[in-house]
Amino acid sequence: MAGILRIEGKTRAEVSVLLVDNATIKKLNRKYRGLNRTTDVLAFSQQEGGYRQGNPDLLGDVVISIDKTLSQSRQYKQPFKKELCLYIIHGCLHLSGYDDIGRQRRSQMNKRQQEILDKLELEGLCG
């Protein structure tokens, strides 16, 4: 994860990652996003709302469904480690201010996500 943050220019940033099952991420998705379904990754910023006054190096939390990671790695015929890395990148990008709501923003975020994944694969950190 340090590689992701370094590529994004955040050399002193801190992010926590929590790996959960589908039932847990579905509960979180319902509670915090109002969506009663599973998802692959959620990001909770510590730099927004009432948390803004806290530590500027603490970006937030990334929650990943390990069940979804496994099923999607099989579906897309990707190594599990690469799929997991993709979700960590995705969550870190959300915590860095990227948004994937709308076609243009989603396209920008997907492009940046792929650039970071490619760099990390070259460094032997993902894949």
Side-chain angles (χ1 to χ4, degrees):
M1 190 164 32
I4 299 164
L5 298 171
R6 175 183 41 80
I7 291 168
E8 277 300 295
K10 299 180 182 316
T11 56
R12 294 188 43 168
E14 190 175 324
V15 172
S16 69
V17 175
L18 177 63
L19 304 176
V20 299
D21 60 14
N22 276 342
T24 302
I25 207 160
K26 183 177 182 179
K27 287 177 191 173
L28 292 170
N29 205 20
R30 181 176 52 241
K31 181 176 181 177
Y32 293 103
R33 297 184 65 225
L35 301 173
N36 191 27
R37 63 177 187 245
T38 60
T39 188
D40 42 24
V41 60
L42 294 170
F44 298 96
S45 176
Q46 295 292 321
Q47 298 298 312
E48 297 175 359
Y51 298 106
R52 189 171 275 157
Q53 301 302 322
N55 182 343
D57 295 333
L58 181 59
L59 295 184
D61 308 300
V62 175
V63 182
I64 297 171
S65 168
I66 226 50
D67 296 333
K68 196 80 157 170
T69 306
L70 183 58
S71 68
Q72 290 190 175
S73 71
R74 290 177 180 155
Q75 178 182 344
Y76 298 124
K77 296 177 175 55
Q78 295 278 1
F80 176 83
K81 182 179 175 183
K82 184 174 180 179
E83 195 74 15
L84 181 60
C85 193
L86 184 66
Y87 298 148
I88 294 171
I89 293 167
H90 190 86
C92 287
L93 286 176
H94 275 304
L95 296 178
S96 297
Y98 285 81
D99 188 1
D100 56 2
I101 304 296
R103 186 179 301 179
Q104 184 177 3
R105 288 181 180 168
R106 186 178 309 111
S107 176
Q108 290 171 341
M109 187 170 178
N110 286 342
K111 181 180 179 204
R112 186 62 179 149
Q113 189 172 276
Q114 189 61 51
E115 290 170 355
I116 293 170
L117 184 62
D118 291 345
K119 286 181 183 179
L120 293 176
E121 283 182 302
L122 285 174
E123 294 175 12
L125 299 174
C126 285

